[in-house]
């Protein structure tokens, strides 16, 4: 077996050193009958070529977004990832390292985490960011729990514009901690403004959670909502699913948000059928000690040279155990490296330009679809994703588009299975990867399908 | 010898500034086409053209060199022996990286219609099948994003099952040797944690455990093999007792790599167990993630697992069961009653990790996985018996160890500690073992060689560790200030925590002297 270096002679000599007659003797503490004598009922080992062949067969059964015009978003976005990103993250010193608990020989990981934290704080316009969470949805859930800790309150108000999966994960996380989750159902044709949530905020409210741009793609200024929250002693949590957006739109920090968190997949990370992704999490200096997850901080070594370490770990499970701010241990290290490398390549100009192209592509897509009979663009405002209302059930339209080799969007019925009122709506996202030909193909196919 | 170089570099040990200190406006590492002018539909929320975000501009060669130089300050499994106990730093095959990047896998969107992702769902289903056969369990929840989230999944399933029984059991028994995530997870599920002591031989104190059982006990969270590297001999008794008392058995599967292919957790009475794909099944640790923590569930808990999950119907089609279709599948899978505690991640979990883990499992096969466990255990015992004369091994007489060998700091010279040994090993070119964990042993040193180390590599390490241990016993002052040859000396963690600097800020310009 190619991954196992011991020879039979090694094994024999080591057993002799140990003073055991056989390997089974080393398993002598396993209860009677539980030690298997034969391999389990699964195929035996395969060479590299055979494994690759089997995997390629499975891959070939799928329709990848790279092989068809694709306008799918709803929390995951296809972007071009520069070749440099994948090269760097496959360097063994990054790929095969552990959590940097021995900082003298982990300065590579620690320094990029410090750079990552700075980049995340910069694009969200917040004071500090952590070293990543599992994904946008768990970041959102952890933000709610953090707001409850910081305010010593037990009620979270979730906007109807929040991604329904994020809401569900938040509900999962809150259900056993006496935290009440309130809010209203969202609808792409009703504008979710601060006013709509205003009457739900009271002096028991720990936080209000809004998504920006929201799940239907709409943009709202949440400055007044932040004021309304703060007037009642509550925190404003701004969630996002498209990290490219802040190159083009006002930052959540400028609204007065207390916690900004979301999904970082768009920068540097493949779609990968939903994971692994990278949760971003930023907040104000005031709240830093309430944060979940790992934090990397600057310090000096014995010789006075600048270096980096994991810090404020007294918040964390390995020190605080049941009193920790979160149970998170492993996070999304390598995905945050991909984010950092891609963001470093983009820089100020590239990030802004990428965002501008995304908006331009989406505007062009919306313009093209508005010319198709049976399609109505619902949004007044959007960044790179918007909702359309179709004259036929969206789920059926999506299937008909697939039959024509196009992945046209995500039907809202997929996100809201129990909402009959949303059957006609579809989310359409466009990024720099969508060409004029893709847009024309989508419009033409929709015209056929809706005719 | 000690002269300072002009650059601060020392040969290949290179200093590297932050990207923020290298970037300049007007430079970028990407070439993007100019967007065509369009009428903005940003609803008046366009970012101010003149307000800077604060991202530095670097060209591609600068970025490549920056991160390459950073990588050279890191120690990975590829660099050398990495005996980090409990973390299982085994070789990460590059085949797994390659297949995870195949077109048709890496470029799938999580919200694609089911008809376009049959290969992906089949892959998830196959990965699940391997885990079920290897554990002997009837159900698996694939979506947890890491071991800690796997724990959360298992404990939430237990909580949901108790709620369904209408029972208000809130006490969870956790051995004091447990990973910190165990009590943190129990607390997150609304349980209180009751600590169980260990016996002198490093295992759960059965009498103390039995005395703590009662009708308010929700269950036990037990790591097996445990964090002292020992197989819990009484595991079946523990399972029977907790079941008889009306509770559930959560097994922390972080150490499954010691028994994979040799012992099935189902045969030990486990109700829920997470499997760290990044430990047992070699998906890369990546400097702290991403991980993946599928959870196998017993009949008693299967119906309470998270959504979504995959299910294969008789026509051979694999479905991604989300809430809306859950009822259609519940009949076949859960006796008609699906009582899921909810969703855990935005989508269906860590697909990229399933792909890597499946490639690993297929490469080894049932025969190879059995060998994996055996070699891991053999290597650890070899380590234990080769070092027990120079380092105190508190459980040396507790029977063979499993995949890791535990030592204490007993016998060091006055003022010398486990930390000094760890830092001394860095100078010898090794990543230190896990230190100060588990908490039940003073100055713990937990050595896990894994099955992917050769005897020669272990013999070299044994020699190095013996030498460092002898220096600690002899009170060699140079050890107190180790490491001497790493990119950095010991770092001031107190300063880092006292005045946290978590992001880079433009240094303020010095004020001109009056």
């Amino acid at each position: 077996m190619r991954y196992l270096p011991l020879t039979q002679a090694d094994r024999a000599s080591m057993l002799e050193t140990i003073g055991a007659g056989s390997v089974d003797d080393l398993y002598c503490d396993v209860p009677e009958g539980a030690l298997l004598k034969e391999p389990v009922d699964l195929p035996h080992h395969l060479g590299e070529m055979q494994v690759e062949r089997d995997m390629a067969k499975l891959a070939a059964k799928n329709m990848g977004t790279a092989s068809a015009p694709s306008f799918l978003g709803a929390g995951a976005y296809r972007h071009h990832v520069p070749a440099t990103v994948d090269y760097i993250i496959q360097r063994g010193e990054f790929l095969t390292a552990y959590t940097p608990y021995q900082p003298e020989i982990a300065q590579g990981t620690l320094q990029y985490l410090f750079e990552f934290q700075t980049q995340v704080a910069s694009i969200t316009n917040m004071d500090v960011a952590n070293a990543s969470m599992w994904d946008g949805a768990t970041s959102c859930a952890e933000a709610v729990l953090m707001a409850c800790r910081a305010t010593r309150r037990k009620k979270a108000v979730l906007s109807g514009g929040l991604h329904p999966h994020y809401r569900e994960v938040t509900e999962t996380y809150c259900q056993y901690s006496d935290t009440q989750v309130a809010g209203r159902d969202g609808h792409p044709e009703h504008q979710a403004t601060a006013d709509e949530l205003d009457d739900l905020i009271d002096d028991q409210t720990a936080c209000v959670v809004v998504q920006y741009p929201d799940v239907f793609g709409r943009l709202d200024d949440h400055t007044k909502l932040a004021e309304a929250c703060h007037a009642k002693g509550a925190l404003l949590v701004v969630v996002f699913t498209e990290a490219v957006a802040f190159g083009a739109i006002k930052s959540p920090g400028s609204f007065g948000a207390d916690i900004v968190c979301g999904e970082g997949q768009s920068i540097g990370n493949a779609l990968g059928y939903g994971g692994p992704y990278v949760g971003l999490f930023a907040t104000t200096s005031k709240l830093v000690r309430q944060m979940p997850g790992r934090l990397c901080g600057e310090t000096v070594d014995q010789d006075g040279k600048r270096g980096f370490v994991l810090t404020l770990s007294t918040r964390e499970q390995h020190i605080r155990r049941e009193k920790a701010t979160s149970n998170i241990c492993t996070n999304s290290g390598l995905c945050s490296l991909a984010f950092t490398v891609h963001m470093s390549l983009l820089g100020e100009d590239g990030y802004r330009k990428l965002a501008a192209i995304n908006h331009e592509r989406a505007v062009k897509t919306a313009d093209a679809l508005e010319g198709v009979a049976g399609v109505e663009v619902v949004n007044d405002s959007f960044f790179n994703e918007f909702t359309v209302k179709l004259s036929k059930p969206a789920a059926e339209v999506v299937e008909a588009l697939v039959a024509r080799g196009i992945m046209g969007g995500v039907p809202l019925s997929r996100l809201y299975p129990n909402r009959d009122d949303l059957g006609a709506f579809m989310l359409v996202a466009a990024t720099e990867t969508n060409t004029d030909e893709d847009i024309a193909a989508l419009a033409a196919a929709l015209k056929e399908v809706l005719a | 010898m000690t002269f300072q170089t002009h650059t601060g570099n020392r040969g290949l040990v290179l200093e590297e500034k932050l990207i923020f200190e290298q970037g300049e406006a007007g430079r970028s590492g990407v070439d993007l086409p100019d967007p065509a002018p369009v009428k903005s539909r940003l609803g008046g929320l366009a970012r101010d053209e003149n307000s800077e975000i604060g991202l530095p501009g670097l060209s591609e060669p600068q970025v490549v060199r920056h991160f390459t130089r950073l990588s050279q300050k890191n120690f990975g499994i590829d660099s050398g022996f990495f005996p980090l106990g409990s973390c299982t730093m085994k070789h990460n095959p590059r085949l797994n990286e390659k297949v995870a990047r195949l077109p048709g896998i890496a470029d799938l969107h999580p919200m694609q219609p089911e008809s376009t992702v049959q290969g992906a769902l089949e892959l998830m289903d196959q990965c699940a099948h391997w885990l079920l056969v290897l554990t002997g369990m009837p159900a698996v929840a694939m979506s947890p994003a890491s071991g800690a989230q796997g724990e959360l999944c298992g404990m939430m399933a237990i909580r949901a099952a108790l709620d369904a029984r209408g029972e208000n059991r809130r006490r969870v028994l956790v051995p004091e040797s447990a990973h910190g995530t165990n009590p943190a997870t129990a607390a997150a599920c609304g349980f209180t944690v009751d600590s169980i002591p260990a016996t002198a031989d490093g295992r759960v104190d059965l009498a103390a455990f039995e005395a703590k059982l009662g009708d308010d006990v929700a269950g036990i969270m037990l790591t097996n093999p445990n964090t002292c590297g020992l197989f819990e001999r009484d595991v079946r008794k523990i399972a029977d007792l907790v079941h008889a008392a009306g509770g559930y058995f959560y097994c922390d599967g972080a150490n499954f790599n010691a028994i994979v292919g040799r012992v099935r957790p189902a045969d030990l009475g486990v109700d829920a167990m997470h499997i760290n794909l990044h430990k047992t099944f070699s998906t890369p640790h990546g400097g702290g993630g991403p991980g993946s923590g599928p959870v196998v569930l017993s009949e008693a808990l299967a119906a309470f697992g998270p959504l979504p999950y995959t299910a294969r119907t008789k026509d051979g089609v694999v479905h991604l069961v989300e809430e809306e279709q859950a009822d259609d599948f519940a009949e076949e899978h859960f006796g008609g009653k699906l009582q899921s505690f909810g969703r855990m991640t935005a989508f269906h979990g860590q697909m990229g990790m399933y792909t890597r883990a499946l490639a690993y499992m297929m490469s080894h096969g049932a025969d190879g996985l059995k060998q994996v466990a055996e070699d891991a255990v053999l290597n650890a015992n070899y380590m234990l018996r080769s070092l027990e004369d120079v380092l105190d091994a508190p459980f040396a007489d507790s029977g063979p160890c499993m995949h890791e060998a535990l030592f204490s700091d007993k016998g060091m010279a006055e003022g010398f500690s486990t930390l000094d040994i760890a830092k001394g090993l860095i100078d010898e070119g090794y990543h230190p073992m896990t230190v100060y964990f588990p908490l039940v042993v003073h100055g713990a040193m937990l050595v896990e060689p894994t099955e992917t180390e050769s005897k020669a590599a272990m013999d070299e390490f044994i020699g190095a560790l013996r030498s460092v241990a002898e220096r600690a016993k002899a009170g060699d002052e140079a050890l107190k200030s180790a490491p001497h040859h790493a990119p950095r000396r010991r770092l001031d963690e107190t300063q880092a925590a006292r005045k946290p600097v978590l992001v880079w800020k433009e240094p303020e310009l010095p004020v001109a002297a009056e």
Side-chain angles (χ1 to χ4, degrees), chain B residues 36-95:
Chain B
V38 289
K39 190 166 173 292
S40 166
R41 295 177 74 164
L42 295 172
L45 284 163
R47 177 180 268 282
D48 181 355
E49 286 287 325
N50 301 315
S51 83
E52 279 206 9
I53 298 168
L55 299 169
L58 293 99
S59 63
E60 182 180 301
Q62 288 174 298
V63 171
V64 169
R65 186 168 292 163
H66 173 72
F67 288 102
T68 301
R69 289 169 74 139
L70 288 191
S71 77
Q72 289 168 337
K73 297 173 190 295
N74 254 17
F75 194 101
I77 308 163
D78 286 358
S79 327
F81 188 44
F82 208 129
L84 199 64
S86 199
C87 300
T88 312
M89 302 300 284
K90 61 170 72 175
H91 172 62
N92 299 151
R94 289 310 197 276
L95 168 65

Side-chain angles (χ1 to χ4, degrees), chain A residues 1-6 11 13-14 24 26-27 29 32 36 40 43-46 52 54 58 61-63 65-66 73 76 84 86 90-99 102-106 108-109 111 114-115 117-119 134-135 138 165 168 172-173 175-176 219 246 248-250 271-273 275-276 288-289 297-303 306 311 317 321-322 327 331 334 344-349 352-353 357 359-360 367 370 381-382 414 417, chain B residues 16-19 21 26 28-29 32-34 36 41-42 45-47 49 51 53-56 60 66-67 70-71 73-78 84 87 93 98 101 104 106-109 111-112 116-117 119-120 122 146 148-149 156 159 178 180-181 185 189-190 203 233 236 258 262 285-290 324 341 343-344 346 348 350-352 362-367 371 373 375 377 379 402 423 451 455 488-492 496-497 501-504:
Chain A
M1 209 293 134
R2 62 189 179 276
Y3 304 142
L4 301 177
L6 295 186
R11 291 181 183 115
S13 97
M14 288 163 69
D24 279 7
L26 302 176
Y27 286 98
D29 291 318
E32 188 62 35
L36 303 174
V40 294
H44 279 217
H45 69 274
L46 293 177
E52 207 176 314
D54 286 356
L58 287 174
K61 289 186 184 178
N62 303 316
M63 177 172 165
T65 57
T84 298
D86 205 36
Q90 286 203 68
R91 284 189 66 90
E93 303 91 332
F94 286 133
L95 183 78
T96 73
Y98 193 69
T99 304
Q102 295 289 345
E104 300 88 348
I105 46 170
T109 297
Q111 185 168 330
F114 188 79
E115 294 173 345
Q117 289 174 180
T118 306
Q119 288 170 341
W134 295 317
D135 69 4
T138 57
H165 292 176
E168 288 167 26
T172 297
Y173 271 66
Q175 64 189 327
Y176 300 128
L219 300 167
F246 303 133
I249 61 174
K250 275 188 181 157
L271 283 170
Y273 200 49
V288 64
R289 284 170 202 272
E298 185 184 315
T299 186
V300 292
D301 78 352
Q302 271 178 330
D303 294 341
R306 177 173 70 184
T311 191
Q317 46 77 28
R321 298 176 80 85
E322 64 266 33
N327 79 335
N331 54 20
L334 206 66
S344 301
L345 286 165
L346 288 169
E348 182 92 18
D349 292 356
R352 283 171 180 258
K353 196 167 180 183
I357 296 169
H359 187 54
E360 180 246 19
D367 288 348
E370 270 165 341
S381 61
F382 58 83
R414 177 89 190 256
Chain B
E16 181 63 11
K17 289 178 181 168
L18 293 161
I19 49 167
E21 296 161 337
S28 176
L32 294 166
D34 289 322
R41 295 177 74 164
L42 295 172
L45 284 163
R47 177 180 268 282
E49 286 287 325
S51 83
I53 298 168
L55 299 169
E60 182 180 301
H66 173 72
F67 288 102
L70 288 191
S71 77
K73 297 173 190 295
N74 254 17
F75 194 101
I77 308 163
D78 286 358
L84 199 64
C87 300
K98 186 175 180 184
R101 287 167 171 81
D107 63 342
L108 294 182
H109 189 284
M111 292 279 105
Q112 281 185 221
T116 65
V117 290
E122 211 172 297
S146 73
Q149 208 188 24
M156 283 196 172
R159 176 75 195 254
T181 47
T185 299
C189 298
R203 295 185 169 89
R233 279 175 200 141
R236 269 195 184 149
R262 294 246 47 188
H285 284 75
E324 80 274 25
F341 67 74
R343 176 186 288 276
M344 303 208 75
H348 353 293
Q350 310 283 64
M351 179 67 176
M362 289 167 70
S363 293
H364 281 282
D367 51 335
Q371 191 71 56
D375 283 0
V377 169
N379 280 358
M402 289 281 99
K423 300 307 183 192
E451 74 282 3
K455 180 170 177 295
R488 282 292 177 272
R489 305 284 303 283
R490 290 192 201 187
L491 290 129
D492 188 342
V501 178
L502 307 175
V503 296
W504 181 81

Side-chain angles (χ1 to χ4, degrees), chain B residues 69-223:
Chain B
R69 289 169 74 139
L70 288 191
S71 77
Q72 289 168 337
K73 297 173 190 295
N74 254 17
F75 194 101
I77 308 163
D78 286 358
S79 327
F81 188 44
F82 208 129
L84 199 64
S86 199
C87 300
T88 312
M89 302 300 284
K90 61 170 72 175
H91 172 62
N92 299 151
R94 289 310 197 276
L95 168 65
N96 305 354
E97 296 305 308
K98 186 175 180 184
V99 295
R101 287 167 171 81
L102 286 172
I105 291 180
D107 63 342
L108 294 182
H109 189 284
M111 292 279 105
Q112 281 185 221
E114 213 173 75
S115 61
T116 65
V117 290
Q118 274 302 302
L121 292 172
E122 211 172 297
L123 196 156
M124 283 170 74
D125 190 61
Q126 277 188 30
C127 187
H129 177 71
W130 279 78
L131 299 180
L132 292 177
V133 174
L134 287 167
T135 56
M137 301 286 279
V140 59
M142 294 297 286
S143 67
S146 73
Q149 208 188 24
E151 290 177 26
L152 201 61
C153 172
M155 293 309 286
M156 283 196 172
I158 288 174
R159 176 75 195 254
L162 289 169
D163 287 354
R165 279 161 47 182
E167 292 191 39
N168 193 34
R169 293 164 176 263
R170 290 292 175 268
R171 195 154 53 93
V172 171
L173 306 179
V174 182
E176 54 192 13
S177 59
H179 297 109
T181 47
N182 289 183
T185 299
C189 298
F191 294 119
T192 57
V193 175
D194 193 355
S195 191
I196 323 170
T199 55
D201 85 337
R203 295 185 169 89
V204 167
D205 185 331
L206 199 62
F209 163 70
E210 211 172 340
K212 282 180 184 287
L213 287 171
D215 58 11
D216 64 332
V217 167
I220 182 171
M221 294 183 87
L222 180 69
T223 308

Side-chain angles (χ1 to χ4, degrees), chain A residues 7-309:
Chain A
T7 62
Q8 283 304 355
D10 288 335
R11 291 181 183 115
S13 97
M14 288 163 69
L15 280 172
E16 203 175 308
T17 305
I18 295 164
S22 70
V23 164
D24 279 7
D25 288 354
L26 302 176
Y27 286 98
C28 59
D29 291 318
V30 175
E32 188 62 35
L35 188 67
L36 303 174
K37 298 294 173 195
E38 297 299 323
V40 294
D41 184 21
L42 286 165
H44 279 217
H45 69 274
L46 293 177
E48 185 164 325
M49 186 173 73
Q50 293 156 292
V51 173
E52 207 176 314
R53 198 178 280 155
D54 286 356
M55 285 293 190
K57 272 187 201 157
L58 287 174
K61 289 186 184 178
N62 303 316
M63 177 172 165
T65 57
S67 62
S70 167
F71 294 86
L72 307 180
Y77 302 87
R78 179 168 173 248
H79 289 286
H80 178 257
V81 178
T84 298
V85 175
D86 205 36
Y87 158 71
I88 295 290
I89 69 167
Q90 286 203 68
R91 284 189 66 90
E93 303 91 332
F94 286 133
L95 183 78
T96 73
Y98 193 69
T99 304
Y101 288 137
Q102 295 289 345
E104 300 88 348
I105 46 170
Q107 285 298 305
T109 297
L110 287 158
Q111 185 168 330
Y112 85 64
L113 288 177
F114 188 79
E115 294 173 345
F116 170 78
Q117 289 174 180
T118 306
Q119 288 170 341
V120 173
S122 298
I123 63 168
T124 54
N125 194 12
M126 299 298 283
D127 299 332
V128 291
N130 76 5
S132 82
M133 306 297 288
W134 295 317
D135 69 4
T138 57
S139 290
C140 175
E142 292 272 12
V144 167
L145 295 177
M146 171 175 153
C148 291
R149 282 194 300 276
T151 59
R152 296 171 189 273
R153 295 177 180 182
K154 289 277 184 187
K155 179 181 155 190
V157 175
L158 309 190
S159 151
L162 180 65
H163 194 296
H165 292 176
Y166 285 37
R167 167 187 284 266
E168 288 167 26
V169 172
T170 303
E171 285 170 348
T172 297
Y173 271 66
C174 288
Q175 64 189 327
Y176 300 128
S177 63
D178 300 329
T179 306
Q180 186 199 342
V181 179
R184 296 215 163 86
D185 284 344
H187 192 289
E189 290 177 313
H190 308 159
Q191 193 68 330
T193 60
D195 300 338
E196 205 185 338
L197 296 170
D198 240 6
D199 61 314
L200 293 174
I201 311 170
D202 56 30
D203 57 8
Q204 289 308 304
T205 306
C207 64
V208 173
V209 182
V210 290
Q211 186 176 317
Y212 169 74
D214 79 0
V215 68
F216 307 115
R218 301 171 307 190
L219 300 167
D220 256 320
D221 187 330
H222 295 296
T223 309
K224 285 207 175 102
L225 181 60
E227 286 164 8
C229 288
H230 297 155
K232 298 272 186 182
L235 305 183
L236 177 67
V237 178
V238 178
V239 171
F240 58 91
T241 59
E242 173 51 289
V244 172
F246 303 133
I249 61 174
K250 275 188 181 157
S251 65
S254 68
F255 299 147
D258 300 284
I259 302 173
V260 179
C261 61
E263 181 54 65
Q265 170 270 327
S266 277
I267 312 275
N269 286 279
L271 283 170
Y273 200 49
Y277 287 176
V278 51
L280 310 185
F281 199 105
T283 188
T284 59
S285 300
K286 202 176 96 184
L287 293 171
V288 64
R289 284 170 202 272
Q290 295 293 343
M291 277 181 114
R294 293 177 182 143
L295 287 166
C296 171
E298 185 184 315
T299 186
V300 292
D301 78 352
Q302 271 178 330
D303 294 341
K305 285 184 183 164
R306 177 173 70 184
F308 303 91
V309 290

